[in-house]
Amino acid sequence: MAKHLENATVTELQGQLIPLDHYQTHLICATQPGNLLSKAEWIKSWERTLRGALMNWFNQKKESPPEPPCFCLDNPEELRRHLQEIQDDREEVVCLDTEFVGHDITDYRILDIILATRSRTLNIRVHEGRHEPVLRNPYDLPDGKGAVYIFPNEAAFRQWTPPPHSFHAYIDDVRWVFQGSQKELTDILNQYLRRPEIKLVGHALKVDAIQLILFGVDLRDQLHLCTYDLAKVLDEGQPQGLDDLIKVYLGKEDHKAELARYRATRGITDGSYGLVPPEIRLPYGCKDGRRTFELVPAMLADLKQQDEDLKRREPDAYARGWTLEHAYFNVKRKQMGALIEMELVGHPFSLKRLEENIEWYDTQLERLLAETVAYI
């Protein structure tokens, strides 16, 4: 077990589901019962972890209903047709996800925009990355061999001096592939997604909302639920990653395995998803959107159940509104809007105040060190 996470301690392994492919099952890494009994909140987190593992176990032989179709689109007329059908069917809940290139708000570029609804999943192709090495040494070097160098653009690559040893060199850049202008795409999205009845959901929805605002589609008034934030409200001790939530609440397979394996085999984990070819990236994006859409009702049912338990155990607290529903929709969700605003406009920053703080901390540190030496 310790080798599973490269010399991880037992504490770091607790609560993880370690796949045992040879036996077609999972090992649930546990802790001593005495430790669980001493912390009531741990019992709840473990119950969730076990529930996901058991759901996955019982569902593996069970035939599940077919999922709604996924459409990969780069044509404005096809996109408009799908969105019109969604509007005509009065599908109000839309799951939003984006795949992108970039490290911060100054250089984001969207690869794909994923929209999942009750009837379908749309994967809108905006940009495409460069998945093949621009240079390799030797020229017939197999994938996964040699060093890997990743450059943000052509200019950085041209300034580089290739080393004498074997390597693959990639440029993590993108080109426009949607068969229409950016204005045409944003006009379509604004027309169909900025309607007042639309409820946008997603995982880490703040990031996706910022992406679209910078792209030209402001959907802040349509933001309804973020599964990442809701997971914190439901149980602060549980992992908030999408893969973890899918296991816990849906008991479904890890749909990221093929993409992760491709990146790890070629040594491009430090690059963006633009380095992954569309035949792998696009199905992954569709699954991401679909699973997040499925998570929302499952997590809301958990929220409702916990509030019902509170009503039964502590009716006075329930009557005062101390519910998880209030905590998320009236408190946590409002924070998302404030954080989006802060990231878009920046936060006031004073160099003078920073220098004063550094000087104060240095003084305190010197005093503490002097006291420590005197004590010793």
Side-chain angles (χ1 to χ4, degrees):
M1 279 195 308
K3 293 181 180 178
H4 176 64
L5 288 182
E6 299 181 357
N7 301 321
T9 64
V10 174
T11 302
E12 291 169 331
L13 287 169
Q14 289 172 2
Q16 297 216 19
L17 302 181
I18 302 177
L20 304 177
D21 297 331
H22 182 70
Y23 298 99
Q24 296 182 345
T25 186
H26 286 75
L27 173 65
I28 303 173
C29 197
T31 185
Q32 295 181 2
N35 292 339
L36 281 178
L37 294 176
S38 65
K39 295 187 178 182
E41 66 273 14
W42 283 22
I43 297 177
K44 183 190 298 183
S45 295
W46 276 91
E47 184 273 332
R48 296 177 189 280
T49 303
L50 291 169
R51 180 181 63 186
L54 292 173
M55 286 175 63
N56 185 61
W57 172 262
F58 287 112
N59 288 340
Q60 63 181 346
K61 300 295 184 182
K62 181 180 177 182
E63 291 188 6
S64 56
E67 294 186 353
C70 178
F71 302 91
C72 298
L73 309 171
D74 58 10
N75 183 284
E77 294 307 317
E78 290 184 8
L79 174 60
R80 191 183 298 276
R81 177 176 61 82
H82 280 286
L83 292 177
Q84 184 62 52
E85 290 176 0
I86 291 171
Q87 178 176 320
D88 293 342
D89 290 341
R90 299 187 178 182
E91 299 181 49
E92 298 177 354
V93 178
V94 179
C95 178
L96 170 66
D97 188 22
T98 58
E99 305 298 345
F100 59 92
V101 174
H103 302 89
D104 57 53
I105 198 170
T106 63
D107 65 351
Y108 284 151
R109 283 165 295 172
I110 295 176
L111 287 166
D112 314 305
I113 300 172
I114 298 99
L115 304 174
T117 69
R118 173 176 46 81
S119 65
R120 72 202 75 193
T121 303
L122 307 180
N123 197 327
I124 307 166
R125 301 186 62 191
V126 183
H127 290 95
E128 189 54 69
R130 304 171 69 166
H131 2 98
E132 292 296 329
V134 292
L135 185 64
R136 65 177 85 198
N137 181 39
Y139 73 93
D140 57 350
L141 182 68
D143 292 330
K145 302 293 184 180
V148 174
Y149 300 93
I150 301 175
F151 301 91
N153 49 52
E154 288 273 2
F157 170 71
R158 290 174 180 174
Q159 294 175 3
W160 175 60
T161 302
H165 56 73
S166 60
F167 65 85
H168 288 89
Y170 293 85
I171 297 179
D172 199 357
D173 203 354
V174 295
R175 69 183 191 280
W176 183 268
V177 294
F178 187 75
Q179 297 178 21
S181 65
Q182 179 172 335
K183 183 179 186 307
E184 186 174 5
L185 177 55
T186 56
D187 286 346
I188 295 173
L189 295 176
N190 279 315
Q191 176 185 349
Y192 288 99
L193 297 182
R194 293 191 65 181
R195 294 180 289 120
E197 62 269 24
I198 290 294
K199 297 179 180 179
L200 280 182
V201 300
H203 188 77
L205 189 56
K206 171 180 72 73
V207 177
D208 300 316
I210 291 175
Q211 300 273 357
L212 286 186
I213 290 172
L214 297 174
F215 192 65
V217 185
D218 191 343
L219 301 174
R220 277 176 282 189
D221 291 339
Q222 282 71 36
L223 300 182
H224 178 64
L225 187 145
C226 172
T227 53
Y228 178 86
D229 290 339
L230 181 57
K232 294 180 181 178
V233 173
L234 293 176
D235 179 3
E236 192 172 356
Q238 71 176 338
Q240 286 93 40
L242 181 59
D243 297 342
D244 297 302
L245 295 178
I246 290 172
K247 290 178 182 177
V248 170
Y249 285 97
L250 303 178
K252 293 192 174 181
E253 79 287 352
D254 180 9
H255 64 277
K256 195 175 184 178
E258 183 181 3
L259 181 140
R261 184 166 52 250
Y262 180 92
R263 300 179 78 209
T265 300
R266 285 158 178 77
I268 55 174
T269 52
D270 291 336
S272 75
Y273 283 2
L275 298 178
V276 179
E279 58 267 24
I280 296 177
R281 189 189 72 248
L282 295 176
Y284 160 76
C286 291
K287 284 284 189 182
D288 244 18
R290 177 52 49 190
R291 293 292 175 263
T292 306
F293 184 86
E294 295 171 350
L295 265 178
V296 172
M299 296 180 72
L300 286 177
D302 186 12
L303 181 146
K304 183 178 180 181
Q305 182 60 54
Q306 291 195 53
D307 281 348
E308 288 295 326
D309 293 343
L310 175 67
K311 183 179 180 180
R312 186 178 62 256
R313 293 192 319 267
E314 303 179 47
D316 291 341
Y318 183 87
R320 292 189 182 98
W322 297 350
T323 62
L324 294 181
E325 182 179 7
H326 173 81
Y328 179 75
F329 287 103
N330 295 328
V331 180
K332 192 68 176 177
R333 187 172 65 174
K334 292 182 178 179
Q335 293 176 358
M336 178 167 55
L339 290 172
I340 290 174
E341 189 69 20
M342 287 177 61
E343 291 199 30
L344 289 173
V345 304
H347 190 71
F349 187 83
S350 169
L351 288 175
K352 183 175 183 297
R353 182 65 180 272
L354 177 63
E355 291 171 356
E356 292 174 354
N357 288 341
I358 292 174
E359 184 178 351
W360 182 84
Y361 280 114
D362 287 343
T363 302
Q364 296 299 313
L365 182 60
E366 290 175 1
R367 182 180 60 81
L368 287 173
L369 289 174
E371 291 176 358
T372 302
V373 171
Y375 176 79
I376 294 174

